[in-house]
Amino acid sequence: MKFKIIFLFLLSNLFFAQKPDSSFIECKYLASFLIDTANTNTLKKELVYLRIGENSSLFKSDFKEKADSITFAEIDKSNANPINGISILKTDKWASAKYNPEVFYNKDKLIIYDKILNVTYNYQAEERTKWVFLNETKKIKGYTCKKAIGKYHKKTITVWYTSEIPISDGPYTFKNLPGLVLEAYDSKDYFHFTLESLKRIKKPIKPLEGTISTEYSKFVKKRTDIFNDPIGAFVGIFGKTPPKQDHERMIKNIRSINNYLD
């Protein structure tokens, strides 16, 4: 398997030189993460993928891509079979991913896509992780990996990368190492990514469309404002105040989503 992956990487220029926006390899990771840091019962596990091309990569929930496909199929089906001239959307068949952030990366920019309530924003990463390399090794999926630690905003991140796959990429924003990252986690293990599989795959790599551009500081402020005043946020979005009997439940639900990798 090692030989095939390295051989594939070395020949990627030949295979995809004319289409740098297509992947030549897909890495799937098992993402384990808490929704609410105060409740271990909110631990979720979801497959995410990293599709790597010649000049760019895309990191995204594997389930989200499947969920989007199911949703669009249901919309098309409803539009093709209207009832009394009206398309009825059966939302009970819609799937929902729990891992929302996506990352588009190329040599010039690192763009993060993330949701606040029902709106998806994009912002360019304002800092890159600076890695400290340690003299520790371990095996992951048969590859010899080396350890590095870095600070990303306020979090301490540990990664295990392998120079046996000479691709400077990894899950989320954990990149710019002398090899592919096979495992990554923060110091409290609120987020943990572990490689599940590698395979050759050719699929488009492009930024997410239909999102709102912002800056990281403004994104965090908006998220914090909603956390501090959930009812005010609801009024701002929907233009009306929710029923008083729903206030406590809404506040609890919004504040229970409090674990962010950034």
Side-chain angles (χ1 to χ4, degrees):
M1 181 179 179
K2 291 182 186 179
F3 175 76
K4 289 182 179 179
I5 293 296
I6 296 171
F7 182 71
L8 173 63
F9 173 75
L10 294 175
L11 291 185
S12 62
N13 287 343
L14 176 61
F15 290 150
F16 300 106
Q18 303 303 315
K19 294 184 178 180
D21 58 343
S22 294
S23 64
F24 63 85
I25 187 173
E26 178 185 77
C27 314
K28 283 194 178 180
Y29 300 86
L30 179 63
S32 301
F33 54 98
L34 286 172
I35 302 295
D36 182 353
T37 58
N39 184 358
T40 56
N41 291 325
T42 65
L43 179 68
K44 303 295 180 184
K45 294 184 178 183
E46 199 167 298
L47 282 176
V48 295
Y49 68 70
L50 174 66
R51 289 179 184 155
I52 304 170
E54 179 62 27
N55 297 307
S56 61
S57 67
L58 179 65
F59 176 72
K60 180 177 181 176
S61 165
D62 186 63
F63 185 77
K64 185 175 187 297
E65 181 171 86
K66 292 180 173 63
D68 289 345
S69 178
I70 293 170
T71 299
F72 293 144
E74 285 299 316
I75 291 173
D76 290 341
K77 183 178 178 181
S78 298
N79 289 336
N81 300 281
I83 299 175
N84 296 325
I86 300 174
S87 296
I88 306 298
L89 298 178
K90 297 180 179 180
T91 57
D92 59 308
K93 294 186 179 181
W94 292 10
S96 176
K98 299 300 182 184
Y99 188 84
N100 286 312
E102 300 181 26
V103 179
F104 174 79
Y105 171 66
N106 65 23
K107 294 181 174 67
D108 300 318
K109 55 189 174 182
L110 183 60
I111 300 175
I112 300 167
Y113 300 84
D114 207 348
K115 291 180 70 174
I116 298 178
L117 296 182
N118 62 338
V119 180
T120 301
Y121 297 86
N122 75 78
Y123 58 87
Q124 192 158 333
E126 296 175 353
E127 64 176 69
R128 302 290 178 95
T129 306
K130 295 181 179 179
W131 301 106
V132 175
F133 299 98
L134 304 178
N135 189 27
E136 296 182 43
T137 63
K138 72 173 181 177
K139 290 279 189 177
I140 301 176
K141 297 291 185 182
Y143 295 95
T144 299
C145 296
K146 299 177 182 179
K147 186 178 183 180
I149 294 178
K151 292 288 289 185
Y152 182 67
H153 294 294
K154 295 180 180 180
K155 293 186 182 295
T156 299
I157 305 297
T158 298
V159 297
W160 293 89
Y161 67 93
T162 179
S163 56
E164 294 174 9
I165 305 176
I167 304 174
S168 299
D169 215 321
Y172 196 58
T173 62
F174 310 136
K175 308 174 188 299
N176 300 318
L177 289 124
L180 183 67
V181 175
L182 302 193
E183 185 176 9
Y185 47 89
D186 67 283
S187 57
K188 294 183 178 180
D189 209 30
Y190 286 165
F191 283 89
H192 200 128
F193 302 99
T194 308
L195 183 75
E196 286 287 307
S197 65
L198 291 168
K199 68 176 181 179
R200 175 181 171 182
I201 192 169
K202 183 180 180 182
K203 289 199 173 182
I205 295 177
K206 60 181 180 179
L208 186 64
E209 298 177 345
T211 64
I212 298 175
S213 296
T214 187
E215 298 173 3
Y216 175 67
S217 57
K218 293 179 180 178
F219 178 83
V220 171
K221 183 180 185 306
K222 187 172 187 65
R223 189 171 64 191
T224 302
D225 289 345
I226 289 174
F227 183 88
N228 292 335
D229 184 14
I231 304 304
F234 181 94
V235 174
I237 292 172
F238 298 103
K240 61 180 181 180
T241 303
K244 193 169 184 178
Q245 64 268 25
D246 293 338
H247 284 200
E248 185 177 346
R249 176 182 57 81
M250 291 178 61
I251 291 171
K252 182 179 179 180
N253 287 345
I254 288 177
R255 289 182 176 171
S256 68
I257 303 173
N258 54 47
N259 187 28
Y260 311 112
L261 190 48
D262 63 277

